[in-house]
Every structure is written in C-alpha cells, then in structure tokens.
Amino acid sequence: MAGRVSGKVVLLTGGAMGLGKAATKALQAEGATVIITDIDEVAGRATAAELGCDYLPQDVTDWERWQAVIAEVEAKHGRLDVLVNNAAITVFGSIADISPEDFKRCYTVDVDSIFMGCKAAIPLMTRSGGGSIVNFSSAAGNKVSPDLAAYNSAKAAVVTLTKSIALYCAREQNGVRVNSVQPGTILTPNVESVIAGTPDPDATRAAFSVAQPIGRMGEVDDIAHLVVYLASDESKFATGAPFIVDGGLSIA
Ligand SMILES: NC(=O)c1ccc[n+]([C@@H]2O[C@H](COP(=O)([O-])OP(=O)(O)OC[C@H]3O[C@@H](n4cnc5c(N)ncnc54)[C@H](O)[C@@H]3O)[C@@H](O)[C@H]2O)c1
C-alpha cells in the first residue's frame, strides 16, 4: 500500500536530533525521501546513517548555503515537494537579562532562517508543481514568560511570517501551501538536558508537565504525526494556519 507521502522529496532542517529526527522517521515510514540538514555535522551524519537518509551540512542562517542546498536537492532529485523549517535555538532571558547580541541571535536562527528557507525553496517547489512548507513555531509564541523575551516573540513572528508567505503563494497560484506548527513542551533530549540542568530537576519536570492542562509533556510522535499530515496531500486545503498541538498550553 502506498504511504501517505510516497514519492515526495522532503528537505528538513535541524534533523540530527529531537523533533526533526522523529519527523524524518515518520515521513520515511510513509514513503518520503528525506534529506536532513544540520549545523552539527557529527550528529547529522550519525542520524543520516542510522535512518538511511541523505545529510547536508547547513547553517540555516547562511543565505548562500540555502541556495546551494536547494541546488543540490534539485541536482540529485530534480524536485522538492516539502520543506520542513525545524531548526531553531532557545535563548533564555528577560528584557533586563538578555543582551542585544543574544536577542538578535535568536531572531537570526529562528526567524531569518525561515524567511531564507522559504525564499530559496519556493521557486523549486513551484517548478515541481507545488508543495508544502512546514515552519516550526511553538506554543511559546502564544503563551509567554517574562524570561523568554526573544524566543516568545521570535516564535510569534514565525506564525505571522508564515501567513504572509502563504498569501503570497496563494496569490501566485503556485500550488505551495505554507503552515506553521506550535508544539507545547515536548520531551526531547534538548528538553531533558534543560530539566537536568535546573537546581531541582524533579520539580522542574513536574512543573513542565502540569503547564500543559492535560497534565504531561508531549512525545516526539505527537508532532511527527502532524508534520506527516501537513506534508501529505491530506492537508491540501490548509494554508497559512498555525497548527497548535500543545496539550492545551496555549489556552490555559
Ligand atoms: N522540544 C520542545 O519542547 C519544543 C516545543 C515547541 C517548539 N519546538 C520547536 O521545535 C523545533 C525542534 O525542537 P527540538 O526540541 O527538537 O530542538 P533540538 O535543539 O533538539 O534540535 C534542533 C536542531 O537544530 C539544529 N540547529 C541549531 N541551530 C542550527 C543552525 N543555525 N543551522 C542548522 N541547524 C541548526 C541543532 O543542531 C539541532 O539538531 C524547534 O524549532 C523548536 O523551537 C520545540
């Protein structure tokens, strides 16, 4: 039986670990050919070897590299159907604590990268007959904290940037859909290490869990399944939308 994304060529940033790795596995299981990129070459190559996919080194903040990556995908596969802009960093700090440099760094990695990825990929996706772009925002774009000034606002910007690009694609009638995803707290290795680095990890784990009204953190598959849906033609009427999968965090 054909998979839900059979025959689709997917480029996914930040695929070495966490949600990107889980989404790659889920997309492959449904028949996609996935190319992962990551700034961490050791982890990127290890994940690609483990999953049996291609890996391209990439810093998503580098515009020239974006153009080269898209050209490499076109040279090897002749098309691009799905772009998953997953790579991001979390920068902690309140307005008082965070330096202007760190604030800008968060925006460069979390927002500029999505602008560049969409700008580089849309022409090839258009030549491929259309496609789907999935931009990673976060429930942190809705539910803010005094100590996440940069990350909260950057992830909110991703939602609005996504809407603008979606309307552009609709106006062009190029067949490219663009949506954002807003996960709640998901138990990735990254989140595990944040918990482990706090003075009282058990208390932090409990606080992270109850922040979601359904009383637990999410699992990576909760988001991987959403990415498969958005990558697939099942979501063909969805564009410009923020997909909130957060155990109720945004509405609490
Ligand atoms: N884990 C969560 O609880 C959670 C919740 C909401 C949203 N998100 C979002 O989901 C996405 C994935 O989160 P995760 O927890 O799996 O993150 P992660 O830190 O585990 O993985 C992110 C990957 O991006 C890569 N990366 C970082 N900077 C890069 C750069 N400049 N160029 C290329 N690659 C780079 C890292 O090497 C890493 O492999 C992010 O956009 C994150 O903001 C995560």
Side-chain angles (χ1 to χ4, degrees):
M1 199 175 77
R4 294 163 65 200
V5 285
S6 274
K8 292 194 188 291
V9 176
V10 180
L11 179 64
L12 183 148
T13 68
M17 58 193 83
L19 293 176
K21 181 177 178 181
T24 298
K25 272 194 211 171
L27 288 161
Q28 287 179 308
E30 292 294 340
T33 299
V34 185
I35 303 106
I36 63 166
T37 79
D38 207 286
I39 200 168
D40 183 335
E41 289 206 37
V42 173
R45 288 189 199 287
T47 295
E50 180 190 332
L51 303 186
C53 63
D54 281 354
Y55 161 77
L56 295 173
Q58 182 188 26
D59 178 346
V60 291
T61 69
D62 180 339
W63 170 236
E64 283 182 11
R65 186 63 189 139
W66 261 114
Q67 293 168 284
V69 164
I70 296 296
E72 284 185 53
V73 170
E74 184 168 23
K76 179 157 182 186
H77 300 280
R79 61 186 298 108
L80 178 63
D81 303 294
V82 179
L83 170 65
V84 183
N85 279 313
N86 163 75
I89 54 171
T90 306
V91 175
F92 294 93
S94 69
I95 184 71
D97 302 331
I98 195 165
S99 69
E101 293 74 23
D102 283 348
F103 188 86
K104 189 171 169 47
R105 184 168 58 90
C106 187
Y107 269 64
T108 305
V109 180
D110 293 4
V111 185
D112 296 12
S113 67
I114 288 181
F115 158 75
M116 289 188 260
C118 294
K119 188 173 176 66
I122 286 170
L124 176 56
M125 294 176 83
T126 303
R127 291 198 296 280
S128 307
S132 172
I133 298 178
V134 182
N135 292 329
F136 267 74
S137 171
S138 168
N142 304 328
K143 186 88 175 174
V144 303
S145 147
D147 297 313
L148 274 176
Y151 186 74
N152 286 149
S153 55
K155 290 300 190 181
V158 170
V159 172
T160 305
L161 176 61
T162 298
K163 291 178 184 176
S164 175
I165 300 167
L167 275 188
Y168 163 79
C169 290
R171 188 178 66 196
E172 294 296 306
Q173 290 288 294
N174 61 11
V176 179
R177 300 180 293 105
V178 195
N179 293 287
S180 59
V181 299
Q182 297 197 284
T185 310
I186 309 296
L187 202 51
T188 57
N190 184 24
V191 169
E192 284 280 14
S193 70
V194 169
I195 292 170
T198 61
D200 185 346
D202 287 342
T204 308
R205 185 180 297 276
F208 277 18
S209 298
V210 298
Q212 275 75 215
I214 64 172
R216 64 168 178 83
M217 286 179 269
E219 298 163 1
V220 290
D221 277 354
D222 292 328
I223 305 306
H225 292 148
L226 173 63
V227 173
V228 171
Y229 166 71
L230 290 173
S232 80
D233 295 340
E234 293 163 16
S235 59
K236 64 186 185 301
F237 198 51
T239 198
F243 282 77
I244 302 171
V245 175
D246 70 350
L249 178 61
S250 295
I251 54 164

